[in-house]
Amino acid sequence: RVRSEGQGGYLFFSPAMRRAADEILEKELAIRHALERGEFCLHYQPQFNLRSGIVDSVEALIRWNHPTRGLVFPGDFIPFAETYGLIDDIGDWVMMEAIRTAARWNAEGRPLRVSINVSPKQLYRIELIPMIRACLARFSLPPELLEIEITEAAIMRHEEFSLQRIEGLRRDGVAVALDDFGTGYSNIAQLMSLPMDRLKLDRSLLDAIVTDRRQQVVAVALIGLGRELGYEVVAEGVEDERQFALLKTAGCDYIQGYYLAKPLPEADLFARIAAIRADMQTNMREVPDRGQ
Ligand code: C2E
Ligand code: MG
Ligand code: MG
Ligand code: MG
């Protein structure tokens, strides 16, 4: 028994718990320092629009330039930040940085819509929408150049809040995407009744579409269903040409994945986009228009 309640409210810690608590404190401090010292950065992954044949948007993905560990990926600190109350500060930084950057691209005459990931706690925050509105105004970014990615899990946990935020964002002209679609155990009919702009089919639904006929059938059907309901469908985690060709034939609207580009620092982004454009000029002949 390491914890005792009902005896005047004392908590007894074992040495192991003490160590665990120290580690948490240490990591929390490291993240706070990282924010203060500007160790976080955003990488941007191109999203290729199969209808227009160009990259017209990017997903912003956070990285941590750790002084000793090198580049640290979000899986290593975002869930932690969500649990220990740091996600709001990180989220505010991401929002600001992404909007500022997209506004600069737009002012330079190379507009790209930027997609930002928002975790559940950020989504439920009452300040989310006023924050975004203020940020858009401050940097003069047209709202249609911003998209917010919300996960299925977040929506299912608090459908009421989520719906309010989705409607609020879209009223402001900000696009909303359902991220990681197909990873939960959600009610598809319920999910697909939500007023969103895009559905992002999770990588796990697409990794074997070339080799596994059943997976292929499901993916093709979901693409059809999504489009029929008026969403644009984004395929995530596309890694090779055969997946790309199949998804294009299935009528997917967007492709995102290592096949086209990994998430890149801004310094490498526009060169990569130009290279994709050159590659695709030959590759992109008969893509049917939306609605055909
Ligand atoms: P996500 O939003 O589903 O992002 C897609 C993840 O898949 C990214 O991992 C991306 O690098 C990776 N990916 C893209 N294409 C491919 C591919 O072809 N193959 C493979 N194997 N992977 C691919 P990343 O950057 O490590 O991000 C992981 C997750 O962390 C994201 O999943 C998102 O949920 C979260 N995240 C990232 N940045 C932020 C942020 O700024 N705020 C919040 N709240 N969450 C973030
Ligand atoms: Mg995402
Ligand atoms: Mg995703
Ligand atoms: Mg994911």
Side-chain angles (χ1 to χ4, degrees):
R1 197 179 61 160
V2 289
R3 185 187 158 134
S4 169
E5 279 163 17
Q7 297 179 347
Y10 291 105
L11 294 177
F12 298 99
F13 289 99
S14 69
M17 284 175 78
R18 169 94 249 159
R19 267 193 308 279
D22 284 347
E23 267 171 39
I24 289 166
L25 271 175
E26 209 171 291
K27 190 161 180 175
E28 187 186 332
L29 258 172
I31 291 175
R32 290 204 183 284
H33 281 154
L35 275 165
E36 283 163 17
R37 296 173 188 154
E39 290 170 5
F40 290 111
C41 67
L42 294 180
H43 283 189
Y44 301 92
Q45 187 174 34
Q47 297 182 324
F48 183 74
N49 184 331
L50 280 164
R51 309 276 151 216
S52 60
I54 59 166
V55 170
D56 63 11
S57 46
V58 292
E59 178 173 1
L61 294 154
I62 194 170
R63 270 85 182 106
W64 180 358
N65 274 310
H66 195 280
T68 55
R69 293 166 63 203
L71 201 63
V72 179
F73 288 82
D76 231 328
F77 59 90
I78 289 289
F80 179 92
E82 173 95 0
T83 306
Y84 294 102
L86 298 158
I87 196 65
D88 289 348
D89 290 339
I90 295 179
D92 290 353
W93 179 83
V94 169
M95 186 79 62
M96 183 95 129
E97 177 70 10
I99 289 177
R100 191 167 56 90
T101 305
R104 181 161 41 75
W105 295 337
N106 187 42
E108 291 166 357
R110 42 183 191 180
L112 289 172
R113 183 178 60 238
V114 67
S115 271
I116 303 175
N117 292 283
V118 160
S119 63
K121 282 193 185 141
Q122 294 175 267
L123 180 67
Y124 308 147
R125 252 175 117 195
I126 192 83
E127 299 92 339
L128 179 76
I129 288 176
M131 255 273 309
I132 290 176
R133 204 179 283 157
C135 220
L136 290 171
R138 174 170 168 198
F139 296 107
S140 307
L141 183 71
E144 61 273 16
L145 288 179
L146 179 65
E147 178 170 81
I148 301 297
E149 296 193 5
I150 301 172
T151 62
E152 185 179 319
I155 290 169
M156 286 305 151
R157 219 186 296 164
H158 273 298
E159 217 192 329
E160 177 87 20
F161 282 157
S162 305
L163 192 62
Q164 283 174 17
R165 297 297 179 275
I166 293 167
E167 285 173 341
L169 287 164
R170 295 186 81 224
R171 223 178 289 126
D172 280 1
V174 174
V176 178
L178 177 55
D179 200 2
D180 300 346
F181 180 73
T183 52
Y185 299 89
S186 315
N187 179 332
I188 284 202
Q190 196 181 345
L191 263 185
M192 287 197 162
S193 68
L194 292 167
M196 289 189 283
D197 298 279
R198 289 181 194 86
L199 287 184
K200 299 192 74 179
L201 299 189
D202 194 73
R203 179 160 56 93
S204 59
L205 287 177
L206 307 173
D207 55 358
I209 45 170
V210 175
T211 49
D212 179 344
R213 203 191 70 88
R214 300 186 75 86
Q215 201 193 60
Q216 187 181 122
V217 169
V218 171
V220 169
L222 283 176
I223 293 165
L225 190 60
R227 298 198 65 235
E228 193 73 32
L229 290 169
Y231 302 108
E232 288 192 318
V233 178
V234 183
E236 281 198 286
V238 176
E239 293 186 348
D240 65 53
E241 188 166 6
R242 290 202 296 167
Q243 277 174 302
F244 179 90
L246 206 151
L247 291 160
K248 181 169 127 183
T249 307
C252 213
D253 295 281
Y254 279 91
I255 300 288
Q256 179 181 352
Y258 294 173
Y259 173 62
L260 293 169
K262 291 198 169 181
L264 298 164
E266 191 194 350
D268 301 330
L269 180 64
F270 287 92
R272 185 69 208 128
I273 289 175
I276 293 171
R277 182 190 277 265
D279 280 357
M280 288 300 158
Q281 228 120 59
T282 45
N283 202 322
M284 291 284 303
R285 286 288 133 87
E286 326 112 28
V287 179
D289 278 325
R290 205 177 155 72
Q292 240 178 289

